[in-house]
Every structure is written in C-alpha cells, then in structure tokens.
Amino acid sequence: MSLESKLANLSLGDETSVVEAINTEGVIKSGFAANVSALCGAIEGKDDDAALAALATVKAVAEGAKSAEPFNKECLSSCISRADSKNPEVKKAATETTLAICTNITPFAIKSLLPAIFANLPVEKKWQTRELALKCIPAFSANASRQLGNALPEIVPEVTACMWDTKKQVKAAATEAMKAACDVIGNKDIEHMTDKIITAITKPKEVPEIMHQMAGVTFVQSVESPALAMVVPLLLRGLREKQTATKRQSAVIIDNMSKLVDNPIDAAPFLPLLLPALETNAESIADPEAREVTERGVAQLKRLKGLADKALSVRGDISKIDETFKAALGVEDSEEFNKIIAHASTVGTCMMDLGMMIDLQWKKNVASLLKAVADDAKAEEATEKVRVEAEKMLEIPDEDDEEDDAEELCNCQFTLAYGTKILLHNTKMKLKRGKRYGLLGGNDSGKTTLMRSIANNQVEGFPDSSEVRTVFVEADIQGEQSHLSCIDYVFVDEKIQALGCSKEQVREVLATVGFVPDGKAKPDHPVSTLSGGWRMKLALARAMLQKADILLLDEPTNHLDVINVAWVKNYLNSLTDVTSIIVSHDSGLLNDCCTNILQIENLKLNSFKGNLDEFVKIRPSARSYFSLKESKLKFKFPQPGPIEGVKSKGKALMKMSGCTFTYPCNETPTLFDISVQVSLSSRVACVGENGAGKSTMIKLLVGEIEPQEGTVWKHPNARIAYVAQHAFHHIESHLNKTPNEYIRWRYANQGEDKESLVKVTMQFTDEEVKLQKTPFEIQFTDEDTGKITKVKKVVTDLVGGRKQNKNKDYEYEVKYAGSTVDSGEYLPAKTLKKMGWEKAMKAVDLKIAQRAGLYVRPLSTKNVEQHLEDIGLNREFGTHYRMSALSGGQKVKVVIGAAMWNQPHILILDEPTNYLDRESLGALAGAIEIFDGGVVMITHNNEFCSKLCPETWVMDAGHLETKGDADWMLKQDTKIDDQQQLTEMTDAAGNVTKVKGAKKTLSKKEQKQLLKKIKAKLKEGQDLDTEEEAFAIEKELV
C-alpha cells in the first residue's frame, strides 16, 4: 500500500511503517510531504480513532524522521486544538504529540512554530487549547534555551497578556511559561530579579518598590534582546506610574541598560514601545531634575534607534536567505521544495542572529535539511555558499572609505576598565599607518587610561610593542628624576637604553627642538628648572629618539605658547609614516593635524573620517568639548567675604614693587624691575612665551621665592588661593586619600592650611636669627602712673595672638626668653620688625586669615562633598574614590576645590586650562565671572583669557608690560559695604557667632580727629593703616 493510501486510512500501529517509508524513500518521494494535510484533517475530525492514529503518526514522525520536519510541523496547530477533546485519550495524545513536535524540532527552527502557538492563545479559544499552547514555551527551554532567548521579543508580549486570564489554569500555564523564559535570558546582572519582574506583571502595586530595587542594579554584562524582552514590560509600567520617583528610576535604568547594548538590532523591537513613553514623560514631568534624567534617556534611545535603523539590514532576513538557497541549489520550483527551503532559511537566520557562523555548525544544522532535494555533496556545497553570503550580510560596512594601500597597524575588539568603573565595553578600534587620530571624550571618559593601557600592552588584541613600537608622550616629570640634567633625563629612560642611543645622539635630537647651551633651555641644566612648555618639548624629543610606529600624545600643547604650538603642528604633520593618537582640548591642533576622529561615548569608541570641523558637522553636540559658551556644566566658587579695613574693591591686597630675581644657577636675571598690584576687582591674564618668566613672577607674588631686589607685600588679612602650573604636586603625597578626606586633613587644624608651602620667604635668614637673639630695648608705660620703664629683652617666639592698638596698628603676642609660659604681652609690629620677626608676623597673619575662612561652613564630610560638587566633582568621585584612581581632569578639580575651601580673596591660577575639557573650562569661566574676589591667571588659551580678563600682563624675556584696561580695577565703584553682610557665622564645631556689621559713618568730630592724626603721621613719615590710607585718598591728602 502506498503511503498516500495509508495516510488516508490510518489506524494505530501504522506509525512505524510511515517513519520507515520517509527514512527509506525520502520525505517527498514517499508521498508524506504531499499528504500531510490528510493528517491534519484526521486530527481535527470527529472520528476519535482516526484522530488517535493520526496523532500517533505525527508524534512518531517528530521523534524518528528528521527530514520530515518542514511538513510535520504543520500539524502543530491541529494537535493543540484537540486539547479540548472530551475523549481523555485524544486529549492525552494531543498533549504528548504537541510537546513531541516542540522538543524534537531542530532548535534553530522554533520560531517557525510560534505562529501556530500564538494563533491558539486568544481569549476566544477554549481554555484547554490556550493552556496547551502555553505549555509549548517551557518545552523549548530544555533543548533550545539560546534559541528561545532569541525568540523572547515575540513571546513575552503574548504570554504577558495571558497572565491576567480569569481562568486559573491558563494563568498558571502563562506564569510557568514566563518563568521558563526568564531562565534563558542569560544576563547575570538581572537574573536575581526575575521573580520580582514576574510579580510586577500581575501585581502592579508592587511596581514602585521593584523599580527601586532594579535601579540599584549595576549593569556590567552586555545587554541582549532576551534581557530586554523581560525588563521592557516592567520599564513601561514604571514609566506610566503616577509617582515621579518611579518614572525617574525607569529612565535611569533605560539609560544605563541601553549603553550596554552591543548590537543595536537587539533593541530595535522595543524602541517603538519605550521611546514614545519616555518622550511623553520628558515633556510632562514637573520636577526639573527628573525631567533632565528622562531627557538623557530619550537622547540615549534616539542614538540607539539611529544605529538600529542603520544596521537593520544585517538582521537574519528569511527572504534574502531563501533566494540565496534557491540560487545555490538550482532545483525546479515546487511547493514541497519551497517548504524545505523556507524551513532551512528559518534555521539559517536564527543561526545568524545568534552569531553561529562556523561552517561545521551550518553543515550539521542546515545541510542535513536539504538532503530531500539534493545529494549530500550538493547540499553541503549549497549550504557553504549560503553561509558565506550570510556572513557578508552580517557585516556593517565601515563608514570610512580610506585608501586601501594604508597599512593596518591595529584592528582589535576590547573592554577597558579603571578600577571598578567600565570605560569602554566590547568596542572596536582600527588604526592605519600615517593617520592622525584625535581622541575625544568628556573628562573622566577614559582617554588617558586608554592611551596608557595601549602603551603598557594592556589592551586585548592590540599588537605587542615588539611588533608595533608605541610611545606615550607626557610632560609630567617624576620627582626622583627632577635633579637630572635634560640630557641625562632622556638618556636614563629604559626604552632609550634598550635602543642603545648614545649621549651624543640625545644631545643632537635635543638641539633640534631648541635645547642649546645659549638658549632659554640649556641641555645640561636640571629638568626642574624647565617651564611647562619646555618640559613638553623634552618629552617630544625623547619620543623622537624612539622612532615610534604609534605616538600617543596626551595634551601635547599644554603649557606651550603660540610659537611652540605651531612647531608641534608642523612636526606631527611631517610624520607621514607614523600614526598619532592625540588627546587635546586645543581645537586648532585637532583641525590642523587630524585626519580622523575617535570619540568615546556610551562606553564605545566611534570612528569618523575628517578633522574636528568635519566631525562637529556630524555630531553638533561635540561642540561642547571645545566651545566655552556651549558648556552646560556649572561651577560655583565660595564668595570671599569681607576684609577688615578694606572698603573698596579697587584697594590693593597684593603688591610687587621694583622686583628683580635671578635663579641661583643663572647669571642673568629671570625678572627685571617688576611692579604690579592685585585687588578684589582684578581680572588679569598673564601671557608670554615659554620661559619668559610668567610662573616665576607668580611665585614671587605668592611668596614661594624671594626677590634679590624690590619688595613684595600682602594685606595681612587677605587669603590667597594658588594653583600651580604643575598642579598635581599639591596632592602627590595624598593619593591614597579620597578628595573629601584630603580637604578635611588639610584644613583640620582650626582652618589652618597645612599645604601652605614652607616658602623661602617664611624661612629666617642668618641675619634675622642674629637680630632675634640680640637683646632689644623695650619701653613700657604704666597706665596708672604714666611711669616709663625701659628693659632689654629677647623675644623667643610669637605665640599667635594679634590685636589692634588705639592707633589701629597691629600688635602681636610674644614669649620672652627665660619665660616658661606665654607672657600675655603684645609688642607693636614696627618693634618686632626691627627685632627680626617680620616673617613670623606674616605667618601669624596667614593663620588668622585662614581661620577666618573657616567661618560659615563646618569642616564636615557633607559640606566638603557639596563644595566639591560645586567645583564639578561628582560625589561618587569626591567622597568614594581615592585620588590615585582619578583622571587628570578630576585631579585638577580637587586641587582647585581644596584651594577654594577657605574662601580666598584672590585666586591665582597658573595654566588652569591644562587637563580640563572645554565643558569644565566653560564652567570655570562662568564661576570666575561671578566670583567677588580677584583673579590672576597665566594661560595660553586666548579664548579663555579674552572672555574674562580686561587687563593683561605681557611678559617678554623678564620684562613686564601691562596692556588693556590697566585701570579697570580702579573704575570699580562697587564698595564692599554694598555687599550683603553676614550677620552670623558658624565655625567647625557648629558654634554660631554674631558678626559685627560695618562701622557707621564717621561724625564730623571723628573726621577732624582722624584728619589730624593722619597729617601728624605723614609729617613724621610713618606708614598709614588701611582705613587711614583710604580716608587720606578720599580727602586727597596723598
């Protein structure tokens, strides 16, 4: 009997012969393929015996005839429909057959069963039918867990709807199906949350609490479609909750998870659901901070959508594979042939989606399905052709159309972390010889870490330094090498030694960049004498000696003047066979030198062809890296508060008069006859060539060094914040502290700044020590009798007390020789100056001024945390990260924040634009604009200083010329009296002190008395105090 006749008149026991016929003759020649509809008819018919025989046959074929899969699966819907049979035997057989089809089908073909399953889930169907359809989902998980995960985007919405069913059997089956789905999501970050995710579907009231827990999850693993399929329903519920906090948490989770989506196509099915809900919230949420977080999520999803739209063509497309199979096999078109090809295409596309593209995998899972229409050799040959074409479909074409003859130095895929923070995740990097890549990204994005990791052979897949010579160029000089001469500093470098370079070769290369005996930078002088600009040129010279294949340049124009910046540009452009990766905040350098841009964004390294201007056309948001005006970041400096006796913002707080300075190793002075002054209203930019003496002048002004000629004066009550050119030296000894701990350590002693350097100007000379030991005649007047007594005494110490006498002059508390306790006696400043104690008086003034800055804010963890956030350092880094783990930009913020803690009156910044990105630079400019104190800055950043500084000090070979509106500070009519006065202050212990307000206006009688006193002082040639001087200027007495 033919199989066709047998299938038309089946009876129990025929199933074995059907399987044998298929395996012997083939699924088409045996007639099974053409007559499978007869099986479906028998299963659905009213004859229970025929139905049982048909179900037994389908089950036997599913278990024993693999080649019949493309046709046998058509019976699934019929089998499920018989779950409502009143005959228990039929019902049992229907269940067994249904599960046999689901468990025995090729795992990669399960998607082809989903239409039949979903067709039996609507509420119109009998509940028994729906229950059995739902039981198919867990059946897949045993043999096809990855394939089930791949199908979850389609499965989850269908199953979720059934979890609300009124029939408890359907509800239970749906819950079991959802649990089975959760078991295959393959994401360890959220697998502990799966029970709660399922709970959220059926118990909406628990959504806010579950969202709160979900928001605490740290996402590290790549997020793929199975994980998204499970989490998206919960996120949608969160976005639709009434509570703003829950909406915000949903937006945060979306933002965090979407950054870890490696393949944008994984997110494509969910974007039409999430994006509209998120956009609605971004427009409707009232809380500005929550709205900003939501807007960030919207921007992230739009970015993902753009990538998904671009890559959608590479998703496994059944129609494309179908046509490729037909072309490869070249068989005549027929219904049976088309069904086999469609089944093979389903398997192939699923393998594409899962990235399973090895030839042996395709031979095992695909070629075996084609043997019904081709012999083994032909099936394997056609399968390999289709696999090769499928691989091409999966390739997203590179955007760059670089010339093919450029040698490829690197093409790798890697993940990069710094401590516990992931910086780059599963990202690609391709570098070609002779190209100059500008590396962009915000502060803390990992630019320097990436370059340092490349230099240290720590990037997975990057060629070893023995194959591709890589040199990292940075200007920081290690402290233990600072005593070496420039020649020796380069010569002792391990890499230079390994290359066998001689000292003469080193000297020759240094000469090419300007290190000559009669130049500004001398090759045999210690590197510690070099300015920042010359240090960078020294680092470049060392790199030149190493003949690098790849140059890694971290801020190569830091500290450099216009002339040397031009030199660096010409040098980089001349390296036609050397690849450069450049981190720089100098937009001119990136425009003039770069052939390509690499951008770190959302944990990925994105490559673009062209210079900075070309890149900004594609990504306008990147403008904030380079434009001060585009900065959205805000810094906030603490306001300085009043200074006793200073009523005008134009009143000088620091002065240099006729100062000349020569370094000990030099014969020619570095500075000649410098005279400047700084007030609360000063906004000064100090500019000039590298080595012109700018930093030296600032060091004189703040008292780090002492002039050989001339005088330097600072108001005794003024607090000065100084951030040096090599800013990190402030914190080098404290890298094991967090920024918060560092500031609290630094100001712990009643507000005294421990980092006030042991300055040359505060160390006693031999002459002063001799004066201090010489007995000095001191005159005492008895207040009761008026009797004058003269005694010779030696002062051994100033104990820290200070007061004003009737003449408004300062007197300092002293301790006399031979006394075991403080005398409680005070001596006038003029007397102590003659006794050699002038520097000690300045030290007392400094301590008192610093303690005054401790008012208003106690030195608590919370206050320091807020202060650092005001300077742009997030509390995560400010309070919880050690400074050794911070980036260069973050360390600069720590240094500035620490200097600003005690509310200084004058802020002095030496090259503040180094290491800060443009966004931070714009924020710094904004803070300086509204700062009530004076500002002096050395910078080569013209945009920065021109925005802020109407006055310019131009330093040229040690000679100073003031340009611009030099009288600007005198034009400030704003009186300090007009500022908002503090009525009370809180010290570090939390004690509240009432603060005296400004003194009332002098009466006519008081004015006459003061006038008389000033004239007498002027006649005797005595110095006036600040109040007297202000009054004398007002009355035109001086």
Side-chain angles (χ1 to χ4, degrees), residues 49 70 97 107 141 160 182 204 209 384 395 410 488 510 543 587 645 654 698 737 780 798 865 952:
D49 290 337
T97 305
S141 62
T160 301
C182 284
E209 177 56 31
E384 180 59 15
E395 290 177 10
C410 157
D488 289 336
L510 286 182
S587 51
M654 304 177 82
I698 293 300
K737 294 185 176 78
F780 296 97
L798 302 194
E865 189 175 83
T952 307

Side-chain angles (χ1 to χ4, degrees), residues 299-589:
Q300 181 65 21
L301 285 193
K302 284 184 174 176
R303 178 195 70 86
L304 208 53
K305 186 177 185 300
L307 294 171
D309 291 345
K310 174 183 155 190
L312 210 50
S313 60
V314 306
R315 193 79 186 186
D317 187 334
I318 291 177
S319 63
K320 285 185 180 179
I321 294 285
D322 200 292
E323 293 303 318
T324 312
F325 266 122
K326 287 178 181 176
L329 287 165
V331 181
E332 285 185 19
D333 205 8
S334 69
E335 188 179 346
E336 289 86 1
F337 174 73
N338 289 341
K339 285 182 180 179
I340 291 172
I341 296 302
H343 188 67
S345 298
T346 302
V347 172
T349 51
C350 185
M351 293 181 77
M352 289 171 70
D353 291 345
L354 294 173
M356 300 177 75
M357 300 303 295
I358 297 171
D359 52 359
L360 290 174
Q361 293 171 330
W362 279 62
K363 182 179 176 181
K364 176 186 174 184
N365 294 293
V366 181
S368 59
L369 300 172
L370 302 177
K371 291 176 182 179
V373 291
D375 58 40
D376 288 2
K378 181 72 173 174
E380 288 176 13
E381 182 189 341
T383 300
E384 180 59 15
K385 282 183 181 178
V386 174
R387 187 193 67 80
V388 171
E389 288 302 312
E391 274 194 321
K392 291 177 184 176
M393 293 179 197
L394 287 176
E395 290 177 10
I396 300 175
D398 287 338
E399 286 188 351
D400 58 357
D401 53 348
E402 293 174 345
E403 56 272 26
D404 296 328
D405 59 347
E407 180 192 348
E408 190 172 273
L409 293 180
C410 157
N411 191 349
C412 58
Q413 188 163 340
F414 62 96
T415 291
L416 180 70
Y418 190 94
T420 58
K421 184 183 180 185
I422 292 178
L423 300 170
L424 289 165
H425 183 270
N426 207 15
T427 194
K428 291 180 180 178
M429 177 168 66
K430 181 159 50 169
L431 302 176
K432 294 204 171 185
R433 185 176 291 281
K435 302 295 176 188
R436 294 177 293 280
Y437 298 87
L439 181 57
L440 303 185
N443 268 2
D444 326 329
S445 60
K447 302 184 295 294
T448 303
T449 304
L450 172 60
M451 294 213 298
R452 205 179 291 280
S453 299
I454 291 172
N456 296 337
N457 281 333
Q458 292 171 336
V459 171
E460 186 182 348
F462 197 91
D464 189 83
S465 55
S466 60
E467 300 170 35
V468 176
R469 192 174 292 168
T470 305
V471 179
F472 186 35
V473 182
E474 56 180 342
D476 280 353
I477 289 169
Q478 302 301 318
E480 63 269 17
Q481 296 181 322
S482 60
H483 67 284
L484 297 174
S485 71
C486 298
I487 297 280
D488 289 336
Y489 174 74
V490 174
F491 184 69
V492 299
D493 185 275
E494 290 177 5
K495 292 179 179 176
I496 300 294
Q497 291 283 310
L499 291 169
C501 294
S502 67
K503 281 198 176 183
E504 281 309 307
Q505 286 176 294
V506 173
R507 189 178 292 275
E508 285 172 19
V509 171
L510 286 182
T512 64
V513 298
F515 287 84
V516 289
D518 57 347
K520 288 180 182 175
K522 298 172 177 58
D524 295 306
H525 278 193
V527 289
S528 57
T529 63
L530 297 178
S531 68
W534 283 100
R535 288 186 185 198
M536 180 53 78
K537 292 187 83 171
L538 184 67
L540 280 166
R542 183 172 58 181
M544 289 163 70
L545 275 163
Q546 294 178 52
K547 298 181 173 59
D549 292 307
I550 299 178
L551 269 183
L552 307 169
L553 300 135
D554 192 6
E555 301 289 357
T557 57
N558 268 9
H559 312 292
L560 296 186
D561 56 31
V562 178
I563 298 164
N564 283 314
V565 168
W567 179 87
V568 169
K569 288 178 183 177
N570 291 334
Y571 172 65
L572 290 176
N573 288 333
S574 70
L575 301 173
T576 52
D577 290 327
V578 178
T579 299
S580 308
I581 302 180
I582 306 162
V583 170
S584 179
H585 296 121
D586 182 345
S587 51
L589 177 76

Side-chain angles (χ1 to χ4, degrees), residues 265-313:
I265 299 170
D266 283 337
F270 310 104
L271 294 174
L273 301 171
L274 288 176
L275 196 50
L278 209 55
E279 285 176 326
T280 300
N281 284 2
E283 292 170 6
S284 61
I285 291 176
D287 179 19
E289 193 273 341
R291 193 166 62 244
E292 185 182 337
V293 169
T294 307
E295 285 169 352
R296 206 159 54 230
V298 169
Q300 181 65 21
L301 285 193
K302 284 184 174 176
R303 178 195 70 86
L304 208 53
K305 186 177 185 300
L307 294 171
D309 291 345
K310 174 183 155 190
L312 210 50
S313 60

Side-chain angles (χ1 to χ4, degrees), residues 799-819:
V799 295
R802 188 186 75 182
K803 66 179 184 181
Q804 278 188 320
N805 58 25
K806 292 177 182 177
N807 297 326
K808 302 292 183 184
D809 292 327
Y810 281 123
E811 294 184 350
Y812 295 83
E813 189 176 1
V814 297
K815 184 177 181 179
Y816 291 117
S819 173

Side-chain angles (χ1 to χ4, degrees), residues 594-669:
C594 291
T595 59
N596 300 70
I597 297 293
L598 299 173
Q599 184 196 24
I600 297 177
E601 187 180 45
N602 300 311
L603 310 183
K604 298 292 178 191
L605 190 65
N606 304 309
S607 181
F608 301 86
K609 192 177 181 188
N611 64 6
L612 179 64
D613 282 346
E614 294 298 315
F615 171 65
V616 169
K617 288 175 187 174
I618 303 167
R619 292 282 176 92
S621 59
R623 200 183 302 278
S624 64
Y625 295 143
F626 302 96
S627 171
L628 299 182
K629 292 177 184 176
E630 295 282 335
S631 175
K632 294 177 182 176
L633 194 63
K634 299 287 182 236
F635 287 2
K636 179 183 170 189
F637 287 165
Q639 296 304 340
I643 306 180
E644 187 183 344
V646 177
K647 293 186 176 182
S648 168
K649 288 188 82 170
K651 172 79 174 172
L653 298 182
M654 304 177 82
K655 286 182 185 177
M656 285 172 61
S657 303
C659 292
T660 296
F661 177 79
T662 309
Y663 278 106
C665 58
N666 291 349
E667 295 176 7
T668 309

Side-chain angles (χ1 to χ4, degrees), residues 700-721:
L700 272 181
L701 187 62
V702 299
E704 280 201 13
I705 52 178
E706 201 170 15
Q708 284 85 7
E709 296 175 28
T711 58
V712 180
W713 172 85
K714 178 182 82 72
H715 192 287
N717 291 332
R719 294 184 295 278
I720 313 299

